[in-house]
Amino acid sequence: MSQLIQLGSNGQASIVADTWTRVVPPAPAEESVRKQAGKVVLFKLTGEQTYSPEQIANTQIPATGKILVPLAVWQARKAELQARLAAGELGIVLATNETAETLQAEFADLNTLPIIAIYVERFADGRIFTLGNWLRTRYGFKNELRAIGDVLRDQLFFHKRAGFTSFLIRADRSAEDALASLNDFSQPYQGAVGDVPVWRRIQRA
Amino acid sequence: MYKYDPIDQQIVNERVAQYRDQTRRYLAGELTDEEFRPLRLQNGLYIQRHAPMLRIAVPYGLMSSKQLRKLADIAKRYDRGYGHFSTRQNLQLNWPKLEDTPEILAELATVEMHAIQTSGNCIRNITTDQFAGIAPDEIIDPRAIAEIMRQWSTFHPEFALLPRKFKIAVSGTQQDRAIVQAHDIGLEFYKDAQGQMAIKVWVGGGLGRTPILGTVIREHLEWQHVLSYCEAVIRVYNIHGRRDNIYKARIKILVKALGIDDFRRQVDEEWAHLKDGPLTITQAELDRVAHYFEPMPYKTLPAHDASFDAAVACNPAFAAWVKRCVHAHRVPGYRAVTLSLKPHGKAPGDITSEQMHMVADLADAYSFGELRSSHEQNLILADVQLSDLFAVWEKARAAGLATPNIGLLTDIICCPGGDFCSLANAKSIPIAEAIQMQFDNLDYLYEIGDLELNISGCMNACGHHHVGHIGILGVDKDGSEWYQVTIGGKQGNDASIGTVIGPSFSAEEMPGVVKRLIEVYVRERSDEERFIDTVRRLGVAPFKAHVYAEKESA
Ligand code: HEM
Ligand code: SF4
């Protein structure tokens, strides 16, 4: 069973097959010290490298098919990925400590990307929402925006309102169950991506 | 007060349904503790020492008698027949069962109440002055804006999982009573040179482990932009706030790390994209919401009332209560009344279900059916006629709610401490009780005059000890409970953080320590000087000398 929920153009959500293969760099040779301490580390200074040069060099990229690659891998291996991009077979994965600005520096028109995925390491990292919002409102990204990583149904409503159009539910949870949560609230108060505050939307008594 | 329309009601109902299912999934083992945690917290549910603790939202401290009756009934049915008003104007229940919380929320929804975002790393209940709308020194009634902000922040899609909790306070008076400087964002409303409503914006205040008073980030913000501006501030925080260390995760740390100028620059850059967008509040929306906060149907009354004057003249106990618990009102012939939740020897802020019913009755009979809670953990009847004060006093007194100690040393702000809170290093309620018993002589209390004493059971500073004239902080030393004392803290326009006077004391020593601090004050004060002013004039040295000298000779 697929774990991918997608919003159709009519706003209806359904479970669909995932046609994108996520390219993940190999684990680092040494666990980072902070991780060894057994603590969850969420905060990475913006600009800090997500992956080491070795990891990036050792990343296996499938020869064919649609691939989602981390921004850092794209930056380091553009030459070999260029053709995939041109063929519409390349999407970028942004980590929550990366910025939309860096992405923009790589792709003057973000819409050359058929998909951008934002990877959230822990569901409690709310930066994903601001990133989604920025990509939609500030950077004019119109294609598929996907939430991946520790994605649980209880945050989907927020993901959706922050501009995401697809959601890869964590592997051990039911995407079927998660579908319903997209409609937890029918008339939210505040504006969001593609939505205005309630008082601009409807006449209130 | 604000009245729900079908949209407000639907949101609260949908929240109950959502939370009911989340609780069901948790109890069925489909959600881990870690996954359920932020969900329950955003519904006000903590897991505490004895039981869960449920924090029910009282937006900007305003409630109706009907709502208070519902709180009374909930406390009776699902708890042990009492609740605890907190420094954030909310009501906490100390003993509910987790399984019952969906039902409690469902009951609250029937009276337009909820527990949304009373905890968790999101925008919390917005607080303001308990005298909003009636204070003689009020420039602007902040309640409509507070309500607009409540709605904007409720389930804000971008700010559901911030690095840390986020607190906003609004104030519309000359004398700040909302402690805007101790909040993540403080909004001080004023009228600008053109007579327009404007806002001075403070950012990066907070108490807790690292107490910092806020800094002004913007002197003049047009009110229409308050949502877009706050959104810009919180966005910068959401992206750059530290998530690696919860003790460094508040916005105050970010503002300090970047410096206010760099922080302001980033906010302004962000704001440039949001300003004048759909978040701009329209006059029509402000008017719509403000209409719920229009002045009460006041009678035209003379400024004086003969029966009231006579009662004050011939009844010293009543006169004492009037002096401490009755406050000025902008409308002639009316007064605001504080019902003291600080009787000597009881946990500050606690109120029983019976008392809640009593207070609701008083509100119906004498104050247009409305009530407020204050961050000092008392209840307020805001609109009482002069001629009714005596009757209100008699009834309040019969219910144990008329201790004439408002603003005095025994009007202690106190967190639940080690009796209830699993984060505590030390108990705080018994300390408050012991101090109240030590100062049981009302005449002496009056002589001491205005004094704020605040107690927290740990560094989290729920009792605001840093901004108390005298602050008491529970600390843990080798597994036993000790108390550190600060003096010189203050809330309000000239807020300050107190200074530690020296090594900590045992619980038994605390009433004596306070007594000796007061002795120095009484000895050193000039006429009419308040405790805080004496401390500011003399510094901590004489206080320290007296307190520790006695300690050594003892
Ligand atoms: C037993 C239940 C409670 C728990 C578990 C609890 C927990 C906490 C925690 C963890 C903090 C630290 C926040 C930080 O440093 O960022 C905090 C702060 C605070 N709490 Fe509580 N609290 C409880 C009860 C209360 C009560 C009853 C009050 C009011 C009397 C209160 C009012 C506050 C306030 C005003 C702060 C503010 C500190 C600031 O401005 O940074 N809390 N609480
Ligand atoms: S100050 Fe500490 S002990 Fe007191 S309620 Fe807050 S967290 Fe608990």
Side-chain angles (χ1 to χ4, degrees), chain B residues 247-351:
Chain B
Y247 302 118
K248 300 209 156 119
R250 298 282 297 268
I251 193 173
K252 61 189 171 189
I253 305 291
L254 180 66
V255 172
K256 273 272 174 276
L258 292 175
I260 187 68
D261 293 328
D262 191 20
F263 185 77
R264 182 186 294 117
R265 182 188 56 74
Q266 295 200 33
V267 169
D268 284 345
E269 258 171 39
E270 187 57 44
W271 190 45
H273 295 277
L274 297 170
K275 189 172 181 279
D276 298 319
L279 281 168
T280 313
I281 305 172
T282 57
Q283 186 67 48
E285 175 62 4
L286 181 68
D287 292 346
R288 183 185 77 82
V289 177
H291 142 82
Y292 292 102
F293 301 101
E294 268 165 11
M296 292 295 185
Y298 296 115
K299 290 183 198 155
T300 307
L301 296 173
H304 295 280
D305 179 86
S307 70
F308 169 75
D309 293 341
V312 169
C314 69
N315 189 329
F318 177 60
W321 180 75
V322 169
K323 183 150 190 271
R324 294 315 315 188
C325 303
V326 173
H327 320 272
H329 197 294
R330 65 186 344 173
V331 179
Y334 285 87
R335 295 289 185 273
V337 164
T338 299
L339 299 168
S340 171
L341 301 186
K342 317 288 181 67
H344 292 186
K346 292 250 171 62
D350 271 11
I351 181 167

Side-chain angles (χ1 to χ4, degrees), chain B residues 46 48 53 55 84-88 92 94 164-165 167 182-183 205-209 246 250 252 377 413-417 420-423 459-464:
Chain B
Y46 277 84
Q48 277 308 304
M53 181 215 66
R55 187 178 290 152
H84 180 83
F85 277 100
S86 84
T87 41
R88 307 212 69 254
Q92 298 193 168
N94 287 320
R164 202 72 178 82
K165 62 177 171 180
K167 299 174 178 176
H183 286 77
L207 302 174
R209 189 168 297 254
I246 88 159
R250 298 282 297 268
K252 61 189 171 189
Q377 305 177 282
I413 296 180
C414 179
C415 83
F420 298 100
C421 178
S422 55
L423 303 173
M459 308 279 262
N460 286 322
C462 297
H464 285 172

